[in-house]
């Protein structure tokens, strides 16, 4: 068959193969970062080896994805940034100023942001200026 392929989701929704692949890759990437985060939580000695790979994921996906990968990477940085002397404030700024403020209508990003903030409320209040700066 020639031309772009489409997939039917139920009777009403049609999604192109390219969009399907993009969403699939994003979901797999998010889960991969979450698994790396859990591994580092279980064994902090892994952080120094895994951190550069997660930082590379951030650099490659921070502006391209819908935000769930970005939120997972941000969670990793918040959990493990102190082990490698990493300043998470520029990443938080990028997430809240340049990303959430522009793409706030995406439901999955909004849910990921709320989940991130509720999970990390005490860390955000004690160690970052997130709430006073972005939620006055």
């Amino acid at each position: 068959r020639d031309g772009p392929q489409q997939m039917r989701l139920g009777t009403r929704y049609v999604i192109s193969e390219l969009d399907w692949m993009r969403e699939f890759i994003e979901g797999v990437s998010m889960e991969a970062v979450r698994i790396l985060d859990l591994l580092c939580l279980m064994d902090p000695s892994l952080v120094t080896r895994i951190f550069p790979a997660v930082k590379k994921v951030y650099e490659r996906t921070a502006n391209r994805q819908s935000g769930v990968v970005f939120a997972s990477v941000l969670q990793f940085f918040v959990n493990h940034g102190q082990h490698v002397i990493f300043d998470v404030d520029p990443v938080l700024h990028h997430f809240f100023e340049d990303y959430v403020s522009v793409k706030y209508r995406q439901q999955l990003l909004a849910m990921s942001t709320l989940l991130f903030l509720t999970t990390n409320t005490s860390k955000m209040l004690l160690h970052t200026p997130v709430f006073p700066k972005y939620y006055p």
Side-chain angles (χ1 to χ4, degrees):
R1 298 190 271 178
D2 293 327
Q5 301 295 316
Q6 293 186 334
M7 297 171 60
R8 188 169 286 286
L9 303 174
T11 57
R12 297 174 33 183
Y13 300 104
V14 176
I15 186 170
S16 72
E17 191 173 318
L18 181 63
D19 288 338
W20 173 260
M21 225 23 191
R22 193 176 297 131
E23 293 293 325
F24 179 75
I25 289 169
E26 186 170 345
V28 168
S29 299
M30 178 197 67
E31 286 301 317
V33 172
R34 289 180 63 204
I35 289 169
L36 292 173
D37 185 27
L38 290 172
L39 285 172
C40 289
L41 287 170
M42 292 187 322
D43 184 1
S45 67
L46 295 173
V47 173
T48 55
R49 288 187 279 169
I50 292 175
F51 199 89
V54 175
K55 190 172 179 188
K56 205 173 279 190
V57 169
Y58 164 68
E59 291 166 355
R60 290 182 181 170
T61 63
N63 293 319
R64 295 185 297 159
Q65 305 291 332
S66 71
V68 292
V69 176
F70 198 165
S72 297
V73 168
L74 187 57
Q75 183 66 58
F76 183 92
F77 288 162
V78 167
N79 287 345
H80 309 292
Q82 73 278 6
H83 294 284
V84 291
I85 308 171
F86 179 78
D87 184 15
V88 76
D89 285 344
V91 180
L92 288 167
H93 176 80
H94 183 187
F95 185 71
F96 288 105
E97 280 285 322
D98 304 328
Y99 206 82
V100 173
S101 65
V102 175
K103 300 184 179 196
Y104 64 92
R105 290 183 181 223
Q106 294 179 359
Q107 293 97 355
L108 197 52
L109 175 61
M111 190 63 201
S112 296
T113 303
L114 289 173
L115 183 61
F116 172 79
L117 289 172
T118 55
T119 302
N120 299 294
T121 302
S122 61
K123 287 180 185 177
M124 296 292 110
L125 287 170
L126 295 173
H127 304 293
T128 70
V130 166
F131 285 112
K133 190 172 183 179
Y134 303 111
Y135 298 97

